[in-house]
Amino acid sequence: MLKRFFLLLCLLPAAAPAAEPASAADPAARELIAAVNAVRLVERRPLLRSNERLAAAAAAHTDDMARRGYFGHEDPDGNGLSHRLARAGYGYAVALETIAAGERDPQLVLAGWLDSPEHKRILLNWNVRDIGVAHLYHPSDPTLPRHRHYWVVVLALPGTPPAKETANANR
């Protein structure tokens, strides 16, 4: 699997160009979107459109995790993905999220997710069409036990929100 992934990296510029909304100014975020789409192309899944509202929801989560010093799908107040999407103004029928912290290289972040059956299932979900990615480097005190790089990928299908939270749902 890892060998196949690195082969994908050679195809990225030609195979899966990603749209570049204003909110995806971070080259690492753009690189991760292109890499996710390259994997989806090889796996014969629909390519994802970059979405500014999903990117805003992802960015809010990376910022909050770094500022408040936690790592999880829910913030310390118990708010999760559905709350962040509502605040970003994105109505969804399906919404999924993957998060990572510590690693600075987007290719290694994706490789880690692809090695996890649950995260791979999320990234290759047939039902999603939009993607938002955020990467944040938090230059915290290196002596503190904090992550310095935070990553959030939100995948969604626009529509009417379901009644139940769907972050990391097994779909």
Side-chain angles (χ1 to χ4, degrees):
M1 175 64 198
L2 199 54
K3 199 191 284 187
R4 202 161 105 187
F5 171 71
F6 286 114
L7 176 62
L8 287 173
L9 298 181
C10 299
L11 302 174
L12 284 180
E20 296 181 22
S23 61
D26 181 8
R30 287 194 312 269
E31 184 178 343
L32 187 54
I33 292 170
V36 167
N37 269 333
V39 171
R40 290 178 65 89
L41 182 70
V42 168
E43 297 291 334
R44 297 191 171 134
R45 301 298 198 279
L47 297 183
L48 302 171
R49 302 173 299 232
S50 184
N51 182 282
E52 290 185 39
R53 290 180 184 204
L54 293 183
H61 194 40
T62 59
D63 180 62
D64 192 50
M65 285 191 293
R67 259 187 321 99
R68 298 207 285 171
Y70 71 94
F71 179 72
H73 293 285
E74 288 189 352
D75 68 22
D77 303 321
N79 297 314
L81 178 58
S82 61
H83 176 78
R84 291 188 293 278
L85 292 177
R87 290 189 66 175
Y90 186 94
Y92 64 94
V94 175
L96 304 166
E97 174 180 74
T98 60
I99 61 175
E103 183 57 61
R104 69 180 183 156
D105 185 322
Q107 304 299 338
L108 294 176
V109 170
L110 181 59
W113 284 330
L114 293 175
D115 282 343
S116 160
E118 180 182 359
H119 291 96
K120 183 176 180 179
R121 190 170 36 254
I122 290 168
L123 292 171
L124 296 179
N125 186 287
W126 279 98
N127 300 314
V128 296
R129 296 297 178 267
D130 294 340
I131 186 171
V133 173
H135 164 249
L136 175 71
Y137 172 72
H138 183 9
S140 61
D141 181 344
T143 62
L144 295 176
R146 267 193 160 168
H147 304 293
R148 296 172 66 102
H149 290 270
Y150 293 83
W151 299 87
V152 174
V153 171
V154 179
L155 307 166
L157 176 69
T160 304
K164 184 181 172 197
E165 176 78 34
T166 57
N168 273 346
N170 291 327
R171 293 183 179 237

